[in-house]
Amino acid sequence: MKLHPKRWPFLIHRWLGIALSWLFVCWFVSGMVMMYVGHPKLTEAERLAHLPPLQGQAGLLAPQQALEAAGVHQPLAALRLAVSSGAQAVYFATPDTDGRMAGRRPQSVPPILIDAHTGQRLDSQPFDTRHALASAAAWAAEEAAAESTQAPPAAVSYLGLVEEDAHTHSAALDAHRPLHHVQLHDAAGTQLYVSSRTGEVVRDATRSERGWNYLGSWLHWLYMFRGGAWDAWWALIIDTLAALGCVAVLTGAAVGIWRWRFGQPYRTGRRTPYPQPMMRWHHVSGMLFALAACAWVFSGLMSMNPLGVFSSQAEPLQIKALQGGPLLPAGEWAAPQALLAPASPADSGAAPVRELRWQPALGRTLALAFDSQRPGAPRVLDARDAAPLDLPASEVQQAAARLLPAPVAQAQMLTAYDFYYYPRADHTMTGGHANRPLPVLRLVFDDEHASWVYVDPRTAQVLERTDRASRASRWLFTLLHSWDWLPLLERRPLWDAFMLALSLGGAALSLTGVVIGVRRLALKARQARAARPLP
């Protein structure tokens, strides 16, 4: 029997709804959880807060002394000093392997680890269990100190070596795998993951975070298909389910509009023809929330960058234009003790420094002193004499204009966030307020890919780069999925009310679909049994 063309959307929506409604319920419920508890991560603020202060370390070698003792004479892409590996002060020296780094992240190059007291290299082989437990014990000691209690630091125990588990799917951890898994016996039931490559704590997950993670991001991103036999198919599974979900919502919206009486109501006096409560609620909730559901499923598909549609083809930034030269430790650099000293009597009560970083900027070397209270606003010092340093904004802008071989169409010092450069809560996927300082220099280049570059005027560091492809992702994924629109984000709890209302409506739409689907399958099963010939 030939079907009427309008019958096809009914059938497609019915059977896709039966197959996918349960998944939609999971997505909406887990999405609401993720509004407040994200996938476990180690934020910059947490990392710095758990590093022992550098002021308590005596006899630290100057950078050049440590590097010479370790036999490292090559230009560096990054250099930092912290008590973050095995409870000892360590220099992390990242070689500039290609002479210009071509805009790559320093984290992608394995660092050389050097004992800051002896100059001995520590990275000749992966760090062992003893080293991981020492790093975890230092973390626990700082946690106890931060809580200002008289209780001793929490005991630690070793849980094993893991390549990847439910809380460590992030690609940012790939350079540190395998990971040492350590349990802190503290009140929060914290578990730590320690890098076998650097000996640092690279992830923490409390008992609460781990529990909510299973109901939140683990469920939302279908991480049950990660790390096992289905791992190679994980992205395809999500892409396929999200694409079919779009079809299910769009066909349902079409059916709902066709069946809705916008003019004269049905004889029952209702706008919907369905007498059964569940079908009627499904129809009404679909008319109210189908558009939001479609936006979420579609943007979820876009989050996977299907077919590489958001992959940038723009050329790398010429970072050396801002740096003015390589990072070459020199004998005239100030000793760490000088960099740790208060700049003035007024700074004597400032938070202790947890990490020092050296970086080139405009042909000179900066020393950045990080504390735990202002993780995104380090003290900027001249590496030679430890004096506070303010880079001339005009020089930063002139150097930044050479990041790409294209003219600058616009350069502006922003004192407020814009649509593409804005803060998000630390627990969110794009979160990390410390990575979005203000003011920021925004340069709009007149190149083929319409590149925008955001530069920190205090440190001459590139903070973010966008182009036409990434800005399209901002609209089609980030905006539609998280509704991180500044007028909403800046007026919380307005954002919370908006998101929860749409999420609850979408969950109601999906849950009624589950009930209708179960009843349809039960009816089909009864009809099949009734049609079966008697023996």
Side-chain angles (χ1 to χ4, degrees):
M1 181 178 66
K2 187 176 181 180
L3 293 175
H4 188 277
K6 275 193 173 183
R7 183 63 177 163
W8 284 108
F10 281 85
L11 294 175
I12 292 171
H13 178 69
R14 172 185 296 169
W15 293 108
L16 282 180
I18 289 173
L20 299 177
S21 286
W22 61 272
L23 182 60
F24 275 57
V25 173
C26 293
W27 276 339
F28 281 113
V29 171
S30 58
M32 286 187 281
V33 171
M34 291 171 65
M35 287 172 57
Y36 303 102
V37 184
H39 193 73
K41 66 162 67 170
L42 180 63
T43 68
E44 184 68 357
E46 287 177 327
R47 189 183 73 84
L48 290 171
H50 285 89
L51 295 181
L54 281 170
Q55 277 90 343
Q57 299 291 316
L60 294 173
L61 297 177
Q64 187 185 43
Q65 292 177 298
L67 290 165
E68 286 183 349
V72 179
H73 305 287
Q74 65 197 99
L76 302 177
L79 178 67
R80 58 189 176 96
L81 169 64
V83 185
S84 59
S85 181
Q88 56 188 329
V90 174
Y91 279 104
F92 298 80
T94 303
D96 189 354
T97 54
D98 62 3
R100 61 186 181 90
M101 285 298 292
R104 290 185 295 145
R105 294 180 180 273
Q107 302 95 302
S108 64
V109 180
I112 298 169
L113 272 67
I114 304 168
D115 189 312
H117 291 101
T118 66
Q120 177 186 1
R121 283 193 62 161
L122 304 174
D123 58 328
S124 58
Q125 57 187 356
F127 291 99
D128 58 14
T129 303
R130 178 194 60 79
H131 197 97
L133 288 173
S135 295
W139 173 287
E142 284 305 308
E143 182 176 58
E147 294 175 354
S148 301
T149 63
Q150 300 301 317
V156 300
S157 58
Y158 191 69
L159 298 180
L161 194 66
V162 298
E163 189 67 31
E164 184 175 345
D165 66 11
H167 313 300
T168 58
H169 290 307
S170 173
L173 298 176
D174 288 350
H176 298 283
R177 303 184 196 279
L179 304 170
H180 294 285
H181 193 188
V182 179
Q183 176 73 58
L184 294 190
H185 298 284
D186 59 353
T190 307
Q191 291 183 2
L192 302 178
Y193 295 86
V194 181
S195 169
S196 63
R197 305 303 177 187
T198 66
E200 299 174 281
V201 174
V202 291
R203 175 143 299 184
D204 66 327
T206 64
R207 184 188 302 110
S208 175
E209 286 176 329
R210 297 193 305 273
W212 285 111
N213 179 49
Y214 283 107
L215 190 57
S217 35
W218 185 83
L219 185 61
H220 198 80
W221 291 98
L222 305 185
Y223 279 149
M224 66 285 297
F225 296 113
R226 288 290 304 270
W230 292 93
D231 189 74
W233 300 92
W234 171 73
L236 181 60
I237 290 171
I238 292 184
D239 288 348
T240 302
L241 290 174
L244 291 175
C246 289
V247 174
V249 175
L250 289 174
T251 53
V255 170
I257 292 172
W258 290 339
R259 301 303 304 271
W260 189 266
R261 288 284 179 87
F262 291 94
Q264 183 179 357
Y266 289 93
R267 284 181 294 179
T268 59
R270 300 189 181 99
R271 304 287 177 178
T272 175
Y274 301 108
Q276 307 94 333
M278 198 59 61
M279 286 291 295
R280 187 165 65 248
W281 294 339
H282 187 68
H283 191 188
V284 172
S285 60
M287 294 297 291
L288 292 173
F289 299 105
L291 183 61
C294 186
W296 264 319
V297 179
F298 172 75
S299 57
L301 174 61
M302 293 299 101
S303 73
M304 300 298 293
N305 189 21
L307 304 178
V309 294
F310 301 129
S311 299
S312 176
Q313 302 300 318
E315 60 182 294
L317 297 176
Q318 301 302 313
I319 300 298
K320 284 296 191 288
L322 270 177
Q323 295 175 341
L327 182 60
L328 292 170
E332 60 267 27
W333 281 11
Q337 287 79 2
L339 297 170
L340 297 172
S344 67
D347 294 330
S348 58
V353 175
R354 309 285 176 148
E355 185 171 72
L356 289 173
R357 300 179 198 170
W358 290 263
Q359 68 173 59
L362 308 183
R364 66 194 80 181
T365 302
L366 309 183
L368 307 181
F370 289 83
D371 61 53
S372 59
Q373 293 185 1
R374 300 179 303 164
R379 283 196 296 132
V380 181
L381 308 170
D382 190 312
R384 294 179 182 272
D385 58 13
L389 182 62
D390 290 319
L391 296 177
S394 58
E395 292 184 25
V396 174
Q397 181 173 325
Q398 291 172 10
R402 299 193 296 272
L403 286 168
L404 287 172
V408 175
Q410 183 187 71
Q412 184 178 3
M413 191 69 71
L414 301 182
T415 57
Y417 295 109
D418 67 11
F419 187 73
Y420 302 101
Y421 179 86
Y422 58 96
R424 290 289 274 126
D426 283 339
H427 71 271
T428 61
M429 186 172 65
T430 58
H433 183 80
N435 299 324
R436 299 289 187 273
L438 287 174
V440 64
L441 175 64
R442 182 183 68 190
L443 294 101
V444 178
F445 286 88
D446 189 17
D447 65 327
E448 177 185 357
H449 301 280
S451 299
W452 294 15
V453 181
Y454 297 83
V455 178
D456 186 344
R458 298 180 67 243
T459 63
Q461 281 185 303
V462 173
L463 299 174
E464 188 168 320
R465 181 213 183 144
T466 70
D467 57 18
R468 192 176 290 111
S470 60
R471 288 195 294 275
S473 175
R474 165 73 175 100
W475 283 91
L476 298 179
F477 163 44
T478 320
L479 177 64
L480 292 180
H481 213 66
S482 303
W483 289 100
D484 47 359
W485 183 44
L486 284 177
L488 282 176
L489 287 175
E490 294 173 346
R491 292 167 177 81
R492 296 187 70 172
L494 182 60
W495 177 84
D496 302 73
F498 177 80
M499 292 288 286
L500 290 173
L502 292 184
S503 298
L504 290 170
L509 170 64
S510 308
L511 191 58
T512 54
V514 170
V515 175
I516 292 168
V518 169
R519 289 177 177 176
R520 167 68 61 172
L521 292 177
L523 174 62
K524 290 291 183 182
R526 289 196 299 270
Q527 291 175 341
R529 287 195 298 269
R532 189 180 305 160
L534 295 174

